[in-house]
Amino acid sequence: KEKEWRTKAKENDRALEEKQNEFHRQQSRLESLKNIAERYDGYGNSIRKVMEQKEHNPGLLGVVSDLLQVDKKYEIAIETALGGNIQNIVTEDEATAKKMIAFLKQNRFGRATFLPLTSVSARKNPKNEAARKEPGVIGIASQLVKCEQKYEEVAADLLGRVLVADSIDHAIALAKKNHYSLHIVTLEGEYLSPGGSMTGGAFKNSSNLLARNREIEELEKRVDQTKTKLKELRARKDDIATAIALGEEDIAATKTLLQEKYIEQNTAQISVDRADQQKKESANVYEDLRTENVEIEKQLEEINQGKKDIAAQLEASKQREEQLEKENSSYSEILEKQGVLEQEAS
């Protein structure tokens, strides 16, 4: 049992080490991504400079890419649909936007586009609703993203007029049918604009700002899961150590008991040997007694035979005695008669 627990302990230690290494890798990657996100790497210089002021300006809510959550399969399509708008800055109101524009001018940091929640309103294309039922159309881009309720108008403004199609063939067919009046993007990143222009080619996923946010969220979940697993493995390690300690105590107690049983066994063996010796001695005595008994029986037979002979002799003597008594009686009568005769003769 102790060997079994020690094997489990080695397996648990191996799993714990692997999980710790996995946790360190995840934690390192997460910190790296968070640092990149905090520095707004991949964004324009003007965006970075404005977002550095976020702590001092609560009216700065964030960059569009930070406020939208998108499923992985739609990331390329949504980022294509957003285009440069992905780096637009969302503010609480126009006053904050005005203040940041003045900040950029004063420091010559460049230009930026701001989306105040108080002024942004969604613009919809009625043709999109009808086009949603066409083959290959997945949906309107604004309906394929998730965000807080207060940012829904921003998402609708930027994406509400864009349709998402599953392939370029379906996108071209849809554009032709609607006389090239729709904004259409495909899952692979092709973009068909009103008027008939098409944009496409290799999509550089290294600058995918939406994927960065998703990866951070997924990594945070995996890190939490790994922490939970590490906690379970450490608890398991303690349980196994306790089991091993209890096993060692049982082994020690069993060894003590075994030693006592060895002593009992030796004592019992001595008793058995002594009894066996006594048995052998008794067997010898019994044999001697049996031999003696045979002799005694012979003697008894001789004595019994002698008794019979004596009894016969006694019977003969008794008969002889009776005969002699009769003869004696007869002689006594003769003597009496002779006495009388003798007396008479005298």
Side-chain angles (χ1 to χ4, degrees):
K1 203 69 178 178
E2 184 191 24
K3 288 179 181 178
E4 181 182 340
W5 280 114
R6 291 193 179 281
T7 300
K8 290 180 179 178
K10 289 180 180 178
E11 293 173 354
N12 191 77
D13 288 342
R14 185 162 51 250
L16 181 60
E17 183 179 359
E18 291 175 358
K19 195 56 69 174
Q20 284 175 335
N21 292 335
E22 181 182 345
F23 173 75
H24 292 318
R25 288 194 301 270
Q26 291 174 347
Q27 189 70 21
S28 176
R29 174 63 177 166
L30 180 59
E31 290 177 359
S32 176
L33 284 175
K34 282 185 175 180
N35 289 334
I36 291 173
E38 289 172 0
R39 295 195 306 266
Y40 285 91
D41 287 355
Y43 293 85
N45 180 63
S46 59
I47 309 301
R48 292 198 300 272
K49 294 298 183 181
V50 170
M51 294 312 298
E52 287 173 0
Q53 306 300 312
K54 186 176 180 180
E55 291 183 4
H56 310 293
N57 293 275
L60 282 172
L61 300 178
V63 181
V64 168
S65 62
D66 293 337
L67 306 179
L68 301 179
Q69 290 83 47
V70 186
D71 289 344
K72 186 177 182 180
K73 58 183 176 180
Y74 301 135
E75 284 174 356
I76 294 176
I78 298 301
E79 187 155 346
T80 302
L82 287 171
N85 294 328
I86 198 170
Q87 297 195 29
N88 291 354
I89 300 171
V90 180
T91 62
E92 284 282 2
D93 49 35
E94 292 97 327
T96 303
K98 179 181 177 182
K99 182 179 178 181
M100 289 298 101
I101 290 173
F103 168 76
L104 291 173
K105 280 183 178 180
Q106 182 179 355
N107 295 281
R108 297 181 180 278
F109 287 143
R111 298 168 64 83
T113 300
F114 296 88
L115 301 173
L117 293 181
T118 52
S119 62
V120 172
S121 60
R123 290 169 292 171
K124 298 180 179 179
N125 187 345
K127 292 184 179 180
N128 284 350
E129 292 298 327
R132 288 177 61 186
K133 299 177 182 179
E134 295 294 333
V137 176
I138 297 172
I140 299 173
S142 60
Q143 297 173 352
L144 301 179
V145 301
K146 300 174 184 177
C147 62
E148 293 182 27
Q149 186 176 1
K150 66 179 182 179
Y151 302 131
E152 288 179 354
E153 283 295 318
V154 172
D157 176 52
L158 298 177
L159 300 169
R161 293 174 298 161
V162 181
L163 288 168
V164 178
D166 58 359
S167 67
I168 190 169
D169 292 332
H170 281 134
I172 291 172
L174 180 63
K176 285 182 179 179
K177 186 173 181 178
N178 288 273
H179 308 291
Y180 302 100
S181 60
L182 302 177
H183 294 269
I184 307 171
V185 295
T186 68
L187 294 179
E188 293 186 355
E190 290 86 14
Y191 186 84
L192 281 70
S193 304
S197 64
M198 299 172 61
T199 304
F203 188 86
K204 294 184 177 179
N205 198 41
S206 60
S207 63
N208 193 338
L209 301 177
L210 294 176
R212 179 192 299 173
N213 295 331
R214 175 184 53 78
E215 187 176 358
I216 288 175
E217 290 179 5
E218 291 177 352
L219 270 174
E220 286 176 341
K221 291 179 182 178
R222 288 204 298 271
V223 166
D224 289 339
Q225 292 171 353
T226 305
K227 282 182 179 178
T228 301
K229 187 62 177 178
L230 281 173
K231 187 177 180 181
E232 292 174 357
L233 288 171
R234 291 191 180 105
R236 174 70 172 161
K237 182 177 182 179
D238 293 339
D239 291 341
I240 292 174
T242 301
I244 290 175
L246 291 174
E248 290 174 346
E249 290 178 5
D250 287 344
I251 288 174
T254 304
K255 283 183 178 178
T256 302
L257 181 62
L258 185 63
Q259 188 63 32
E260 293 174 357
K261 294 300 178 184
Y262 279 141
I263 293 172
E264 290 181 14
Q265 185 187 39
N266 291 336
T267 303
Q269 188 63 46
I270 292 172
S271 299
V272 169
D273 293 342
R274 186 183 296 116
D276 189 52
Q277 183 64 32
Q278 290 175 350
K279 179 183 175 183
K280 290 179 180 177
E281 292 174 357
S282 298
N284 293 334
V285 171
Y286 171 76
E287 185 64 28
D288 292 342
L289 289 173
R290 195 175 67 81
T291 303
E292 185 177 350
N293 187 53
V294 170
E295 293 296 327
I296 290 172
E297 286 179 352
K298 288 181 180 180
Q299 292 177 8
L300 283 173
E301 288 179 1
E302 293 175 357
I303 290 171
N304 287 331
Q305 187 63 40
K307 283 175 68 178
K308 291 179 180 179
D309 293 343
I310 291 170
Q313 292 176 4
L314 284 173
E315 184 65 27
S317 297
K318 186 176 180 181
Q319 292 176 358
R320 178 64 179 165
E321 183 181 6
E322 290 177 352
Q323 183 181 1
L324 289 173
E325 283 180 352
K326 290 179 179 180
E327 290 179 354
N328 186 40
S329 183
S330 175
Y331 290 145
S332 294
E333 291 178 357
I334 295 172
L335 281 174
E336 287 179 359
K337 291 179 176 179
Q338 288 299 325
V340 172
L341 292 175
E342 182 182 1
Q343 189 173 7
E344 290 177 353
S346 295

